[in-house]
Amino acid sequence: MTGAVRRHPALENDFYRHWLSGPLPYAQVEVFAREFYARTIDTTVMIALSVLHTDDLAARVERVKHLYTEYGNGDPAKAHLLLLETMLTGLLGRLRDEPYTAAELRAGGRPETRAFGDARRALFTDADARVVRGALLAQEALAHSTTIRMYEGMRNYKHLYDEDDFHRACEYFYVHICEAAKTDLPGLVADAARVCRDEVDLAQVRRGFDGVLDLTAAYWGAVHRAMRAV
């Protein structure tokens, strides 16, 4: 399953092609930033839900470790969501040449983004633990390639920063690139495989896995359409 992720529209899509194409107008970047923040704010919740929805002790330990890194390894100033907020408000402030506030960033969340969050939450709280494992596997399988694409697009705005300031601003990406590189994807596959005794089990794992991929593809499609509409 994981080998097909890179070819899936969750990664190969019009949003990423647009994001990577070069510097975009301020209004389009603002749409992206607000919707990406609104989506990401739920990420730690999804991990926490996956902890609650497994009885496997080893799996719980791994997911709690992941949750701990999301919260800055115990340092609130390094919490990943705060790093993202600082990066996005800084970029938007530079693009419009005046400060951009966190309150403005939090004003995002289009109906399509909220629908994505609700549907993803449903997968991570499914009564069937096989579905939850598949959903978590898909989220982790997307992590590294997603972060690389996002960072490469951010480099289109490097000219707005001093060299040191740019790399400080991109700490959110660097942290995630490093963490995603450490992800034990074979271990997650093995975790999912432990509950696959027959085709019925596999189908339930795939329901969670394919569900996250398809929801992610639809989310990026909606973001791209909203960006092009402004």
Side-chain angles (χ1 to χ4, degrees):
M1 290 188 292
T2 57
V5 168
R6 290 188 181 182
R7 300 186 298 275
H8 192 278
L11 288 174
E12 288 298 324
N13 57 54
D14 289 336
F15 164 76
Y16 283 121
R17 284 185 279 273
H18 190 54
W19 175 245
L20 293 167
S21 65
L24 303 175
Y26 164 79
Q28 292 193 9
V29 177
E30 183 182 40
V31 169
F32 152 71
R34 286 178 164 182
E35 300 311 313
F36 186 57
Y37 183 82
R39 168 198 168 175
T40 306
I41 204 167
D42 264 351
T43 297
T44 51
V45 175
M46 296 303 108
I47 300 168
L49 290 172
S50 74
V51 173
L52 297 174
H53 286 77
T54 180
D55 295 325
D56 186 297
L57 180 59
R60 277 189 169 180
V61 169
E62 287 304 313
R63 295 171 197 184
V64 168
K65 285 163 61 178
H66 187 178
L67 194 60
Y68 186 64
T69 65
E70 286 289 332
Y71 282 107
N73 296 312
D75 182 355
K78 296 295 184 180
H80 293 183
L81 191 63
L82 181 59
L83 297 179
L84 177 62
E85 182 180 289
T86 300
M87 180 185 70
L88 294 175
T89 54
L91 173 60
L92 290 167
R94 283 171 168 80
L95 284 171
R96 75 175 184 185
D97 203 26
E98 63 178 84
Y100 193 93
T101 68
E104 290 177 281
L105 182 66
R106 294 168 188 159
R110 295 169 58 84
E112 296 91 340
T113 300
R114 292 194 294 273
F116 164 80
D118 291 344
R120 184 173 63 163
R121 183 182 295 253
L123 290 173
F124 276 88
T125 57
D126 196 280
D128 192 325
R130 296 168 297 184
V131 175
V132 177
R133 291 192 186 200
L136 183 66
L137 179 60
Q139 181 167 284
E140 293 304 318
L142 286 169
H144 192 260
S145 295
T146 294
T147 307
I148 292 293
R149 284 165 169 77
M150 299 300 294
Y151 171 66
E152 289 300 324
M154 181 69 180
R155 286 175 59 84
N156 290 323
Y157 307 94
K158 189 176 179 179
H159 63 280
L160 299 173
Y161 299 79
D162 293 334
E163 185 77 17
D164 289 346
D165 287 343
F166 176 76
H167 292 294
R168 275 193 291 269
C170 288
E171 184 177 1
Y172 171 82
F173 288 137
Y174 299 147
V175 167
H176 277 82
I177 289 170
C178 291
E179 288 301 326
K182 295 176 188 175
T183 297
D184 182 16
L185 200 55
L188 288 170
V189 173
D191 178 42
R194 279 196 292 272
V195 299
C196 289
R197 297 172 295 274
D198 53 36
E199 290 298 319
V200 174
D201 291 336
L202 178 60
Q204 290 299 88
V205 171
R206 291 232 40 159
R207 182 159 71 86
F209 186 86
D210 293 341
V212 166
L213 293 187
D214 292 344
L215 287 170
T216 301
Y219 162 81
W220 284 126
V223 172
H224 180 247
R225 289 190 295 275
M227 290 170 70
R228 297 305 294 262
V230 297

